[in-house]
Amino acid sequence: MNAWDVVSPCTQRCVTPPYGDRAGARNRRVPATARNGRMPAAALLRRYASLTATVGGALADGTRLAEPRVLQRRARSVLDALRVGLDATGPLRVPGTATGTLIVANHVSWLDVVALLAVEPVPLVAKREVAGWPVVGPLTRRTGNRFLNRDAPRELPVFVRELAAHLRGGGSVAVFPQATTWCTAPGGPFRRAMFQAALWAAAPVRPVAVDYDRHGTRSTSAAYVGGDTLTGSLHRVAATGGLSVRIRALPPLLPQGHDRRSLAAAAHAAVSGAVGGAGLVGIGDVVAIGVGGPGGLGGVGDVGGVGGVPSRAPCCGGASRRAEDRTAAASHP
């Protein structure tokens, strides 16, 4: 850990176990065989078998996995294997621009990566450790993703300049600028570093809201937070029925008139408004809100992709989990 690590207050107390509460047991939308808090072993084994076959197929694809259609098909197959529904609006790239698009999304789970690739395959910025993860790793290593060493913050300015060059050349990239996971949307503030790349490249920013629900009620079952392990999180996702991920591409932000601070704040405000039900202009519209001065890339503490002080926003997952329980219980007395 270094001085610029971002810390989320979310813990395992935020996370809803698969049907591990009284509301799940009373919810008639939940299959009767799963209301006792456990998915039948045979059903869970089928999911794991399907997932194993999908990951094996992705590895067998070799360099073909970098082809957008192949990658999208494999990502969708992962969601299908885990029986995770996908409700998405797009596109993620902003059409009709000379540059690429900086796609920025809130971060809840490792499953966010799979869901974004299932909507529209674009290279992602991820921490270096992700390359070694099961399931996600094979989908990311061969697709032009950019891996960031968060233990070497002095490398960040060079990384951002390279990212700007990628955008200027017409390439798009997806980033999770919260730099850590939160148990539910919208989570903590967006760190500023990667937004500097959009400013330097004069590239549009596409905010994307990522959220999860279970049988129509917001759920934290997919959250990968606190002391969770990837294996434990994967098991929880596989054992949860009725889980869906929602990906909402929001109106793009133009960098003109912004500095990186205001651009990051505007993107986070857009995501917050989307998941909170606030009205937003249509997807075809372009918004440019907030005015800031010129933005250069300063010291490490000034650039938030892996920098800035640890987040102090309150954890929202406990409230979300209690709301999930109350909704199900009230609907099915």
Side-chain angles (χ1 to χ4, degrees):
M1 178 176 290
N2 62 65
W4 305 113
D5 276 333
V6 179
V7 179
S8 167
C10 299
T11 69
Q12 287 297 287
R13 291 179 299 174
C14 305
V15 179
T16 304
Y19 307 121
D21 51 55
R22 288 178 296 174
R26 298 171 66 181
N27 190 340
R28 299 305 182 218
R29 290 175 291 182
V30 175
T33 53
R35 286 190 204 136
N36 63 354
R38 294 184 180 181
M39 175 170 289
L44 187 58
L45 287 174
R46 284 195 296 271
R47 294 188 180 190
Y48 278 130
S50 180
L51 179 63
T52 300
T54 296
V55 174
L59 292 173
D61 285 334
T63 57
R64 290 186 61 247
L65 192 60
E67 299 174 13
R69 290 185 179 180
V70 175
L71 178 59
Q72 184 178 46
R73 184 174 68 248
R74 289 300 184 189
R76 290 182 174 181
S77 294
V78 170
L79 296 179
D80 290 343
L82 295 171
R83 303 299 189 270
V84 175
L86 176 63
D87 177 10
T89 63
L92 301 184
R93 293 177 176 89
V94 176
T97 63
T99 67
T101 303
L102 180 67
I103 300 159
V104 295
N106 63 291
H107 204 9
V108 177
S109 172
W110 56 270
L111 199 57
D112 304 347
V113 174
V114 180
L116 288 180
L117 294 176
V119 174
E120 185 177 343
V122 294
L124 297 111
V125 172
K127 62 182 181 180
R128 186 176 55 181
E129 293 84 350
V130 171
W133 285 1
V135 182
V136 176
L139 292 175
T140 59
R141 285 196 302 270
R142 304 179 184 180
T143 55
N145 288 343
R146 295 169 177 265
F147 295 103
L148 181 63
N149 182 4
R150 299 205 296 184
D151 293 325
R154 291 184 179 180
E155 298 176 6
L156 183 59
V158 174
F159 186 93
V160 174
R161 288 189 177 92
E162 292 174 350
L163 192 61
H166 176 76
L167 292 168
R168 198 178 298 114
S172 296
V173 66
V175 180
F176 297 106
Q178 288 167 329
T180 189
T181 50
W182 295 69
C183 58
T184 190
F190 284 176
R191 304 291 163 173
R192 305 182 298 272
M194 301 305 160
F195 292 90
Q196 186 63 47
L199 291 169
W200 279 337
V205 174
R206 171 80 82 185
V208 175
V210 180
D211 203 6
Y212 293 84
D213 69 70
R214 187 181 69 172
H215 297 294
T217 301
R218 181 176 287 187
S219 176
T220 60
S221 294
Y224 180 47
V225 295
D228 208 356
T229 64
L230 184 60
T231 301
S233 177
L234 175 60
H235 176 76
R236 187 170 59 251
V237 169
T240 298
L243 188 64
S244 294
V245 55
R246 293 177 291 178
I247 305 292
R248 279 165 281 186
L250 305 172
L253 302 169
L254 298 181
Q256 289 79 6
H258 280 286
D259 62 10
R260 61 176 174 272
R261 184 187 298 273
S262 66
L263 193 55
H268 188 264
V271 170
S272 298
V275 298
L280 289 171
V281 295
I283 192 67
D285 297 325
V286 176
V287 295
I289 56 178
V291 176
L297 192 60
V300 176
D302 188 42
V303 294
V306 292
V309 296
S311 172
R312 300 299 183 189
C315 176
C316 51
S320 176
R321 176 177 172 179
R322 289 191 295 274
E324 182 180 354
D325 294 350
R326 286 196 300 271
T327 300
S331 301
H332 305 280

